[in-house]
């Protein structure tokens, strides 16, 4: 296998226009979170993405005993403790029976002393449909404003949606869209989950894929997603393989083109995520709901890489700070 390409902070750098758009976007995120309890008709301030929590559970990350020697310094224990949040990508919480099949599987990894090592927000679609950072910022800003009933943002939102159309027409994107449509009614735990963007692993850069083991895709098909997930985790153990790809050539494994899959980078199994039955936490508890899965709170050598990923750093900070401020006013609690 070729030598891994080393991380360089230039992969993350924004230009001046992107920095200005980011500042505007941060303001709309704060405004959205401040109004989110009324937008979603709940009694707390929500996240500005993946707002709807299905369940939160404790798990274990078991390390593969024969992982490559170059990876062993990062996985020097037999197992690590996990907190896992299952969610839906929508900004607004709705109590509908049918949710769009855009699911989140956010993983928080801690050591035996309870010290945070890494946060990995994984989703059930491997690609991101926007290449341009400025298009993404303008679109996300307009969407936030629209949710706050600022109707003047409708036209700018449509313009940015038109601009993103070319990014949708890659072979990888079309193939995965068709695959998702075919699986739209499948059980949430039967999907594969992906990091989408790259992450550091020391000086290396990787992508992550989580593949469930032997989960019936038809489980709980007539139930709401939240109910079927809770029923499964109360009665069954769950296990999934954790695989990584390592970047060694930007042509085949681009860092800032998230609408194509990495090629010529074999998947390496590094361990398994396991959730024992009856490991659910109380998702209605304020402390649980307000857990942060910000990947930029990870140890520096596990943090995200890339320009779109860099935007998430600022967005997470604003969202968490605003949520904690509002929920302290509403409930007298931090978080």
């Amino acid at each position: 296998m070729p030598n891994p390409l080393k991380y360089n902070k230039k992969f993350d750098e924004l230009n001046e226009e992107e920095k200005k758009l980011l500042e505007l976007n941060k303001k709309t995120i704060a405004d959205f979170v401040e109004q989110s309890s009324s937008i979603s008709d709940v009694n707390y301030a929500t996240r500005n993405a993946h707002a709807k929590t299905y369940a939160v559970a404790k798990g274990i990350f078991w390390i593969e005993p024969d992982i490559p020697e170059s990876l062993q310094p990062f996985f020097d224990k037999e197992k690590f403790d996990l907190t896992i949040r299952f969610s839906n990508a929508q900004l607004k919480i709705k109590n509908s029976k049918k949710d769009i099949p855009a699911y989140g599987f956010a993983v928080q990894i801690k050591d035996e002393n309870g010290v945070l090592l890494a946060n990995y927000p994984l989703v059930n679609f491997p690609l991101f449909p926007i290449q341009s950072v400025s298009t993404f910022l303008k679109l996300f800003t307009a969407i936030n404003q629209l949710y706050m009933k600022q109707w003047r943002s409708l036209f700018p939102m449509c313009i940015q949606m038109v601009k993103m159309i070319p990014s949708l027409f890659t072979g990888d994107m079309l193939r995965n869209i068709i695959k998702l449509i075919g699986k739209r009614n499948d059980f949430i735990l039967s999907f594969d989950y992906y990091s989408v963007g790259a992450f550091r692993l020391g000086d290396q850069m990787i992508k992550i894929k989580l593949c469930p083991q032997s989960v019936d895709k038809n489980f709980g098909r007539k139930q709401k997603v939240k109910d079927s997930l809770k029923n499964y985790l109360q009665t069954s153990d769950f296990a999934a393989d954790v695989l990584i790809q390592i970047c060694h050539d930007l042509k085949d494994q681009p860092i800032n083109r998230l609408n194509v899959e990495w090629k010529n980078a074999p998947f390496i199994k590094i361990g398994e995520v396991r959730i024992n039955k009856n490991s659910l936490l109380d998702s209605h508890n304020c402390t649980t709901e307000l857990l942060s899965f910000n990947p930029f709170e990870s140890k520096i050598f596990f943090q995200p890489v890339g320009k779109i990923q860099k935007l998430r750093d600022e967005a997470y900070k604003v969202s968490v700070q605003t949520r904690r401020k509002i929920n302290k006013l509403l409930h007298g609690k931090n978080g």
Side-chain angles (χ1 to χ4, degrees):
M1 183 183 293
N3 291 328
L5 196 64
K6 287 191 174 183
Y7 166 74
N8 189 309
K9 65 181 180 180
K10 290 184 179 179
F11 290 123
D12 309 331
E13 291 177 353
L14 304 178
N15 63 36
E16 289 306 312
E17 181 198 4
E18 291 164 349
K19 289 176 182 176
K20 290 177 183 177
L21 289 169
L22 177 58
E23 290 305 310
L24 175 61
N25 182 248
K26 285 161 62 177
K27 184 181 185 306
T28 64
I29 289 172
D31 292 343
F32 176 91
V33 174
E34 285 183 357
Q35 299 180 37
S36 61
S37 60
S38 58
I39 291 171
S40 288
D41 195 25
V42 294
N43 66 346
Y44 55 88
T46 70
R47 294 166 170 83
N48 72 306
H50 281 268
K52 186 172 187 175
T53 301
Y54 290 130
V56 180
K58 287 293 184 183
I60 299 290
F61 179 25
W62 288 92
I63 304 302
E64 197 73 3
D66 57 350
I67 60 171
E69 187 176 347
S70 62
L71 304 179
Q72 290 175 8
F74 305 103
F75 307 105
D76 57 350
K77 302 286 189 300
E78 181 184 33
K79 62 180 181 178
F80 295 88
D81 294 328
L82 304 179
T83 302
I84 302 165
R85 177 179 182 259
F86 303 94
S87 61
N88 189 279
Q90 288 181 269
L91 279 70
K92 182 176 180 178
I93 297 175
K94 298 188 296 183
N95 290 318
S96 56
K97 183 175 180 181
K98 197 71 177 173
D99 292 330
I100 60 168
Y103 303 131
F105 190 115
V107 179
Q108 185 176 88
I109 307 175
K110 293 185 176 181
D111 65 16
E112 69 274 16
N113 298 315
V115 176
L116 176 67
L117 297 176
N119 287 320
Y120 293 111
L122 310 178
V123 294
N124 67 325
F125 194 78
L127 305 174
F128 191 73
I130 305 175
Q131 283 197 73
S132 165
V133 171
S134 60
T135 297
F136 170 71
L137 287 168
K138 291 174 183 177
L139 177 62
F140 195 33
T141 296
I143 290 172
N144 280 334
Q145 291 171 334
L146 197 62
Y147 269 105
M148 293 183 288
K149 296 183 168 50
Q150 297 179 19
W151 304 114
R152 66 182 183 277
S153 64
L154 181 59
F155 184 63
M157 183 186 74
C158 292
I159 291 175
Q160 301 310 317
M161 292 182 76
V162 169
K163 287 183 178 180
M164 66 178 274
I165 288 174
S167 297
L168 292 171
F169 287 96
T170 67
D172 290 343
M173 183 66 73
L174 291 172
R175 184 174 65 255
N176 279 285
I177 289 173
I178 292 168
K179 181 180 176 182
L180 180 63
I181 291 171
K183 285 180 61 65
R184 66 190 182 278
N185 295 319
D186 289 359
F187 179 47
I188 183 173
L189 289 181
S190 69
F191 285 86
D192 293 338
Y193 286 85
Y194 309 85
S195 62
V196 183
F199 283 78
R200 291 182 62 181
L201 188 61
D203 287 334
Q204 303 176 68
M205 295 176 289
I206 65 168
K207 282 194 175 185
I208 304 166
K209 180 179 180 180
L210 188 145
C211 300
Q213 300 175 4
S214 305
V215 176
D216 180 5
K217 68 178 184 179
N218 296 311
F219 183 88
R221 179 158 287 199
K222 294 183 179 180
Q223 296 178 302
K224 290 183 178 180
V225 175
K226 187 171 187 175
D227 294 338
S228 63
L229 176 60
K230 286 189 172 182
N231 287 344
Y232 187 95
L233 294 176
Q234 285 169 346
T235 59
S236 305
D237 297 333
F238 171 79
D241 294 333
V242 181
L243 312 172
I244 65 169
Q245 292 173 290
I246 300 175
C247 174
H248 55 79
D249 181 347
L250 289 179
K251 181 181 177 182
D252 286 338
Q253 302 101 39
I255 299 299
N256 283 312
R257 281 193 70 203
L258 302 184
N259 64 338
V260 295
E261 295 178 324
W262 280 10
K263 296 173 175 61
N264 300 318
F267 284 101
I268 302 168
K269 182 177 177 180
I270 61 170
E272 294 182 4
V273 167
R274 298 179 193 168
I275 305 173
N276 295 328
K277 64 181 177 182
N278 288 322
S279 295
L280 286 169
L281 300 176
D282 181 5
S283 59
H284 297 294
N285 180 284
C286 187
T287 303
T288 303
E289 169 57 31
L290 297 165
L291 285 169
S292 172
F293 291 86
N294 180 357
F296 286 90
E297 293 174 356
S298 305
K299 299 292 186 185
I300 189 70
F301 40 81
F302 293 135
Q303 289 196 3
V305 180
K307 296 176 78 167
I308 294 288
Q309 296 272 60
K310 183 62 179 174
L311 304 182
R312 296 170 74 180
D313 183 18
E314 299 295 330
Y316 271 111
K317 287 176 183 174
V318 172
S319 178
V320 169
Q321 289 168 2
T322 309
R323 282 168 58 216
R324 287 178 175 166
K325 179 183 73 174
I326 297 302
N327 286 313
K328 189 171 184 179
L329 291 173
L330 290 173
H331 303 286
K333 294 183 179 182
N334 288 312

